[in-house]
Amino acid sequence: MCSAFHRAESGTELLARLEGRSSLKEIEPYLFANEDSPVLGDILEFHGPEGTGKTEMLYHLTARCILPKSEGGLEVEVLFIDTDYHFDMLRLVTVLEHRLSQSCEEVVKRCLGRFFLVYCSSSIQLLLTLYSLEAMFCGHPSLRLLIVDSLSAFYWIDRVNGGESVNLQESTLKKCSQFLEKLVKEYRLVLFATTQSIMRKTSHLREGPSSAFTHPSDAGVDYRPYLCKAWQQVVKHRIFFSKDDSKTSNQFSLVSRHLKSNNLKKHFLLLEKVGLSFVHMYHKMVFLQDGVQVLKSL
Amino acid sequence: MGLLRAGLCPGLTQDVVQLLRGRGIRTVVDLVSADLEEVAQKCGLSYKALVALRRVLLAQFSAFPFNGADLYEELKTSTAILSTGIESLDKLLDAGLYTGEVTEIVGGPGSGKTQVCLCVAANVAHGLQQNVLYIDSSGGLTGSRLLQLLQARTPDEEEQAGALQRIQVVHAFDIFQMLDALQDLRSTVAQQVTNHMTRERDSGKLKPALGRSWSFVPSTRILLDTGEGAGASGSQRTACLIKSPRLPTGFQETVDIGTWGTLKQSPALQGHPT
């Protein structure tokens, strides 16, 4: 028996690496190995209850982008749209300092120079801000990553403002989703958006459009889609975050589901004071009696 | 924000508003997302004027991006960590209450939430010489209790009076009064809120009230519980960190709310109290 490290570099990753192009496919190899890597123009959704590591993952990905190439980063610019005023600059700086070989103020400031933050306090303001940011995307060709944390922040306010009509309630978010898709495709960006699990999962499956989105493998995942259809349609890749209920309080798991290919993957994360890290999944080769080899995960 | 009306921004006259409305363009969003060439033709307005109008509206109503380096500079000068005055609580909070963040204290009745608030208010007003806005919606604040806490810190009556003057109390018994009080607040503050406990419907487990929509808001949450086991006296409470952006959760400290500070605590235990 032997153990083999479970991560194969795909052909595209190898090429990108050799050619020296800063492809966002390398943004997080553990999360996005092989054909499910985020391609420029992709929209990914991080979904989960509070305290499960979604925002921490965003800091992890942001750090990876804004760090210089010499320190293992991609040296691209990031635009972070914060809708619930949760952004913690000190936390981002902690994550950066932990990754730098020599963390001096100068280097940190240069990294942060590649980072842009916008606060939005309503869905209308979010939409108008996206329109005015279009000029920024034109002027910053190295701006590759767009983050929205979180897209569900205005859900209840929009519902109240829309009155009885579901169309009215969802209209602004629908326009935001459509405009985001347009921006992401036109300017070759990758969008990571977080949505919070504010709805409890129903214990029985219901008939109706929502059941079209539940998948048998979602049984373990607390997911009930509540944002507008327009958003559901533009998402390529949905990643569910959850916390392990066991005593170890800093281990989290996430299930990543590529919506087109329906590939499901599970990963484990450790959240520490200095940032998050992936727990390596090791596989064991098991020899069966008739000589058939089977990969068994430990 | 939303409807187009005369005077909303330079260049938006009543005539222009009427012309646009005639073509179904009522709101700022309608105008910004419209095809301006088409609008210019249909409404008989100048294309250039419409483009300028769009630019002005966007500049006025959209949010402006900040550069990370500038933000960091500003943060270094304006952030502060306020000690709560209770050593064990400070440990759970990674030195104290951080400005710019919301910290939630949650617990059942009699668990000591109001006592913690009073201690913190007294410490910030007297020990740190800073102003405190105390919004009371439960009626738990009394001047005499605050005075008692301050008297335990210093015998000097002038100091006590000075500290009391720095604590501004607002009674808010409905959400609108509370929102009014918060609207007037301008400076960088650290916010501490208390919340009650409720039971989860299916499992019967205790959980913080106000549901999932609120639970995302605070960065830090501490659960106060009446201590169990041998040696738990009437005034002892356990404080458990159940949410934090900086420290691993599950750590517990023992707090004696009867006395001013803490008693010698047992080594930090891991695990969930319920």
Side-chain angles (χ1 to χ4, degrees), chain A residues 48-51 54 56 79 86 88-91 93 97 105 108-109 112-120 122 124-125 127-129 131-133 136 156 175 196-200 222 243 247 249-250 273, chain B residues 1-2 28-30 32-33 54 58 61-69 71-73 75-76 79 94 98 101 200-202 207 212-213 215-219 221 243 245-250 270-272:
Chain A
E50 54 118 6
K54 301 186 295 296
E56 190 65 30
L79 176 65
H86 249 137
D88 189 349
M89 177 58 87
L90 298 177
R91 183 76 193 145
V93 171
E97 282 177 343
E105 281 292 295
V108 170
K109 278 188 78 174
L112 289 177
R114 286 188 269 269
F115 179 79
F116 299 92
L117 179 68
V118 188
Y119 290 116
C120 284
S122 75
I124 293 185
Q125 192 184 41
L127 183 60
L128 293 175
T129 305
Y131 273 108
S132 64
L133 285 175
M136 188 173 180
W156 292 116
K175 292 192 189 131
Q196 287 151 354
S197 310
I198 57 180
M199 299 291 188
R200 295 173 65 86
D222 185 11
K243 189 159 175 181
K247 287 283 170 50
S249 57
N250 63 343
K273 197 159 184 187
Chain B
M1 176 177 63
V28 177
V29 171
D30 289 338
V32 162
S33 52
R54 183 183 192 268
L58 279 179
F61 291 111
S62 64
F64 188 75
F66 298 105
N67 180 271
L71 262 182
Y72 183 48
E73 274 309 307
L75 217 65
K76 280 197 289 190
T79 306
D94 197 14
Y98 281 57
E101 281 184 18
E200 200 158 312
R201 193 161 29 109
D202 306 320
K207 59 169 188 152
R212 289 186 181 204
S213 296
S215 68
F216 289 103
V217 175
S219 326
R221 183 176 292 116
K243 179 180 178 184
R246 280 173 289 275
L247 296 175
T249 57
Q270 276 198 352
H272 238 275

Side-chain angles (χ1 to χ4, degrees), chain A residues 193-211:
Chain A
T194 59
T195 56
Q196 287 151 354
S197 310
I198 57 180
M199 299 291 188
R200 295 173 65 86
K201 184 162 168 248
T202 43
S203 44
H204 51 275
L205 276 177
R206 273 202 313 207
E207 288 307 303
S210 57
S211 60

Side-chain angles (χ1 to χ4, degrees), chain A residues 201 205 213-223 240 255-257 262-266:
Chain A
K201 184 162 168 248
L205 276 177
F213 292 97
T214 53
H215 191 269
S217 323
D218 283 346
V221 174
D222 185 11
Y223 178 57
F240 301 97
V255 174
S256 130
R257 178 160 155 231
N262 256 330
N263 273 343
L264 270 173
K265 278 201 204 85
K266 189 159 185 180

Side-chain angles (χ1 to χ4, degrees), chain B residues 128-150:
Chain B
L128 302 174
Q129 308 263 307
Q130 298 289 319
N131 290 321
V132 176
L133 171 65
Y134 196 113
I135 304 178
D136 183 13
S137 65
S138 65
L141 173 82
T142 56
S144 54
R145 188 72 191 106
L146 262 180
L147 184 61
Q148 258 184 336
L149 286 171
L150 288 167

